[in-house]
């Protein structure tokens, strides 16, 4: 079994006796835990299959060309790697042995004293995985790249197409899912198409640009207050987004989406189809449930104790989107958003230190900072603990909140500058067509080992690809 810093010596000899905390996942919760444990008398290993922290709430802006990939991602080594007691390892945890207190990744068994699981969530198609390549989700950078590539390529083809009917097909987008991500994506895409067609394409008509927002629910933003959902719906419709609510997706084929609802069956023709409708917890939750018989909810989230530990294993904590934390005043589980994840990660790290040092720790109390969604330029809706804000004031609050949550100062400055530039000029800075068809779907991430022949041994290191987001 290998421990801290693998076979290498720790930076300071005193670290050999420090407890070892393994954090799996460098998202909002995992990164906050690392910050709280930096330069404390514990050895910390952060394991992630990506070498960066992704600010996922702004992925729709990458998909619509508002910002570039580097504006919403920060290298983990630059974020916390400077702390002498924190080691960062690239790889995917494929198994956990709670009895031996070991995790398995990159064909290694790695021991821990405390384990914090913060592996987040992925996309789900509710058992219809064959839809994934036809309707990309929006969970990782590559997904946003693929949505942008498909839309821009469709517009380029439409510019050269003499058939008016095919041009309308190429200028049509279907977004499945009317939650915050779907509304933000739909509003940003319709604004992009209108601006591009009006100013940069010579053969296209703005009236042919269509974004259809589809969901089985009866209103947009169903998790937010009804007046805010109604305000968002009015704005989207005024911007040119067509709402098809109360309609369930029955089938997706290349360029086609079939719906079923109270109005009967409908078929939509669109060159670009996007999926924001389903979220599931990381499969590490179900794996751990099998290993130690702990309960999970319907979404695969681990049902945790008040201290975020797994029943029967106080040394294992689950935070962020991976956990179902229902120890709240109203008994409702905490939502899967950045705010709760950051608070969970920080509290669990402090609780780990308090227990190791024999100090009492106050119970976790979630501070509800509200929820918000930006629907278009200078327009957002915000629900701040019952205080409803729409329009420009909502946008200002949304911008300030998102800038505050971004962990990297350079990214804050870059994003603010690009937002101001786009609002002033309506020009987007990242409208690049990159990659090949479907290159970004089922992408493999993690550690790739270069083939190597050990001198004189004749043995070659095996190249083991990590699983894709679709299988994570």
């Amino acid at each position: 079994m290998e421990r801290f810093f693998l076979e290498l010596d720790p930076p300071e000899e005193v670290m050999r006796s420090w407890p070892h905390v393994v954090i799996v996942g460098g998202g909002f919760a995992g990164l906050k835990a690392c910050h709280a444990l930096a330069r404390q008398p514990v050895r910390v290993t952060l394991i992630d299959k990506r070498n960066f922290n992704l600010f996922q709430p702004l992925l729709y802006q990458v998909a619509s060309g508002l910002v570039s990939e580097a504006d919403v991602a920060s290298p983990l080594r630059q974020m916390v790697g400077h702390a002498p007691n924190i080691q960062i390892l690239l790889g995917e945890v494929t198994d956990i042995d709670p009895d031996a207190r070991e995790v398995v990744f990159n064909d290694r068994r790695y021991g821990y004293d405390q384990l914090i699981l913060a592996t987040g969530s992925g996309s789900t198609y509710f058992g219809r995985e064959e839809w994934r390549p036809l309707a990309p989700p929006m969970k990782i950078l590559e997904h946003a790249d693929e949505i942008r590539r498909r839309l821009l390529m469709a517009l380029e083809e439409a510019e050269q197409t003499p058939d008016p009917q095919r041009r309308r097909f190429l200028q049509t987008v279907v977004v499945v899912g009317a939650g915050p991500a779907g509304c933000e994506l739909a509003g940003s895409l319709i604004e992009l198409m209108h601006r591009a067609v009006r100013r940069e394409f010579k053969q296209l008509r703005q009236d042919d640009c269509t974004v259809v927002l589809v969901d089985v629910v009866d209103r947009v933003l169903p998790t937010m207050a009804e007046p805010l959902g109604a305000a968002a719906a009015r704005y989207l419709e005024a911007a040119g987004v067509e709402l098809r609510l109360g309609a369930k997706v029955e089938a997706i084929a290349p360029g086609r989406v079939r719906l079923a609802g109270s109005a009967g069956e409908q078929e939509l023709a669109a060159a670009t189809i996007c999926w924001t409708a389903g979220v599931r917890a990381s499969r590490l939750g179900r794996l751990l449930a099998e290993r130690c018989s702990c309960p999970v909810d319907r979404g695969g989230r681990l049902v945790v104790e008040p201290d975020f530990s797994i029943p029967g294993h106080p040394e294992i904590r689950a935070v962020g989107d991976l956990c179902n934390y229902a120890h709240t005043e109203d008994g409702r589980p905490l939502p899967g958003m950045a705010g709760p994840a950051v608070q969970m990660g920080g509290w669990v790290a402090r609780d780990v230190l308090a227990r190791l040092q024999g100090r009492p720790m106050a119970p976790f109390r979630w501070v509800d900072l509200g929820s918000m969604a930006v629907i278009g330029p200078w327009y957002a809706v915000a629900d701040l603990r019952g205080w409803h804000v729409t329009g420009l004031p909502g946008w200002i609050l949304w911008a300030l909140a998102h800038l505050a949550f971004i962990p990297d100062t350079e990214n804050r400055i870059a994003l603010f500058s690009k937002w101001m530039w786009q609002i002033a000029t309506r020009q987007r800075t990242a409208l690049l067509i990159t990659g090949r068809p479907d290159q970004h779907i089922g992408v493999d991430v993690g550690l790739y080992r270069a083939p190597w022949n050990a001198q004189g041994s004749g043995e070659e290191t095996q190249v083991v690809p990590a699983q894709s987001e679709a299988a994570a």
Side-chain angles (χ1 to χ4, degrees):
M1 180 183 69
E2 294 171 336
R3 294 184 66 80
F4 189 65
F5 293 107
L6 304 180
E7 299 91 347
L8 305 179
D9 293 330
E12 300 176 19
E13 188 62 27
V14 67
M15 290 185 181
R16 292 189 185 277
S17 61
W18 287 356
H20 185 204
V21 180
V22 172
I23 301 173
V24 184
F28 289 112
L31 189 62
K32 184 64 176 180
C34 281
H35 281 303
L37 295 174
R39 294 182 171 83
Q40 297 296 323
V42 290
R43 303 170 294 165
V44 179
T45 299
L46 172 62
I47 302 173
D48 200 305
K49 55 184 179 182
R50 311 304 292 260
N51 74 333
F52 55 83
N53 168 272
L54 175 64
F55 195 78
Q56 205 172 74
L58 293 182
L59 269 183
Y60 79 94
Q61 295 199 1
V62 178
S64 58
L66 277 168
V67 300
S68 63
E69 292 88 340
D71 295 326
V72 298
S74 306
L76 290 171
R77 293 189 181 278
Q78 294 181 14
M79 301 299 295
V80 293
H82 58 276
N85 67 318
I86 296 180
Q87 181 183 36
I88 299 170
L89 300 178
L90 182 67
E92 180 178 6
V93 172
T94 56
D95 204 353
I96 299 174
D97 187 341
D99 296 329
R101 295 196 178 187
E102 295 175 356
V103 296
V104 178
F105 79 107
N106 297 343
D107 299 330
R108 301 177 184 272
R109 298 185 70 87
Y110 205 48
Y112 62 83
D113 297 305
Q114 298 285 326
L115 177 63
I116 301 176
L117 301 175
T119 49
S121 61
S123 54
T124 179
Y125 289 77
F126 307 108
R128 302 299 297 269
E129 281 299 312
E130 68 273 17
W131 293 352
R132 186 179 293 270
L134 303 174
M138 199 170 56
K139 277 295 181 181
I140 59 177
L141 279 177
E142 287 81 1
H143 295 159
D145 289 340
E146 181 65 15
I147 292 172
R148 184 185 64 224
R149 189 198 66 79
R150 292 188 184 192
L151 175 62
L152 296 180
M153 194 64 79
L155 294 179
E156 292 291 346
E157 182 185 347
E159 179 76 350
Q160 306 176 36
T161 300
D163 181 1
Q165 186 173 354
R166 179 161 179 80
R167 279 204 302 270
R168 285 192 293 273
F169 164 76
L170 292 167
Q171 291 175 241
T172 300
V173 179
V174 171
V175 178
V176 182
C183 289
E184 290 172 339
L185 181 61
S188 191
L189 291 182
I190 193 66
E191 200 273 336
L192 161 63
M193 289 199 293
H194 282 174
R195 193 270 310 160
V197 167
R198 185 170 60 249
R199 298 178 56 178
E200 296 157 12
F201 287 85
K202 302 300 184 287
Q203 303 300 321
L204 305 184
R205 297 174 62 249
Q206 181 173 317
D207 291 343
D208 291 337
C209 295
T210 304
V211 174
V212 184
L213 186 62
V214 175
D215 205 320
V216 70
V217 298
D218 58 359
R219 66 181 182 92
V220 301
L221 302 177
T223 60
M224 298 180 69
E226 188 171 352
L228 295 179
R234 288 193 298 270
Y235 181 93
L236 289 171
E237 290 182 314
V241 176
E242 182 181 340
L243 303 182
R244 297 285 184 95
L245 303 176
K248 180 182 179 181
V249 176
E250 289 288 335
I252 299 179
R256 294 287 186 273
V257 178
R258 191 172 77 242
L259 308 177
S262 58
E265 285 198 354
Q266 310 170 54
E267 186 167 280
L268 305 176
T272 307
I273 306 170
C274 313
W275 184 273
T276 67
V279 176
R280 58 154 179 83
S282 162
R283 287 197 170 91
L284 201 59
R286 293 196 181 277
L287 173 66
L288 184 59
E290 294 174 1
R291 296 292 180 267
C292 55
S293 301
C294 56
V296 295
D297 65 11
R298 293 179 59 185
R301 299 185 300 172
L302 291 162
V303 179
V304 297
E305 301 287 358
D307 62 352
F308 297 93
S309 65
I310 303 302
H313 290 273
E315 76 282 359
I316 301 177
R317 317 287 187 101
V319 293
D321 290 349
L322 185 60
C323 79
N324 178 318
Y325 187 89
H327 306 281
T328 55
E329 293 181 358
D330 58 5
R332 298 175 60 183
L334 294 183
M337 299 190 300
V342 169
Q343 295 179 44
M344 292 179 200
W347 186 90
V348 164
R350 294 190 298 272
D351 187 61
V352 166
L353 288 174
R355 293 194 181 192
L356 293 174
Q357 297 167 3
R359 296 185 288 105
M361 182 70 179
F364 176 77
R365 290 291 182 267
W366 174 49
V367 179
D368 185 4
L369 302 177
S371 58
M372 53 190 66
V374 61
I375 311 300
W378 295 108
Y379 192 94
V381 295
D383 185 352
L384 307 179
R385 306 180 68 176
W387 180 41
H388 299 163
V389 185
T390 62
L392 176 59
W395 185 91
I396 293 174
L397 290 172
W398 171 88
L400 292 175
H402 281 67
L403 290 174
F405 272 109
I406 290 173
D408 185 71
T409 302
E410 181 182 353
N411 282 0
R412 289 195 194 103
I413 297 172
L415 283 168
F416 181 77
S417 301
K418 290 184 177 181
W419 289 345
M420 294 300 101
W421 176 258
Q422 191 274 332
I423 289 171
T425 67
R426 294 300 176 94
Q427 293 183 4
R428 304 190 178 215
T429 60
L431 293 177
L432 306 179
I433 300 176
T434 58
R436 300 181 302 278
D438 300 324
Q439 176 185 356
H440 301 125
I441 299 299
V443 62
D444 288 334
V445 297
L447 181 67
Y448 284 81
R449 302 176 187 175
W452 173 72
N453 289 321
Q455 186 176 4
S457 69
E459 296 181 356
E460 183 174 297
T461 301
Q462 183 181 7
V463 181
V464 182
Q467 292 181 324
S468 66
E469 188 274 340

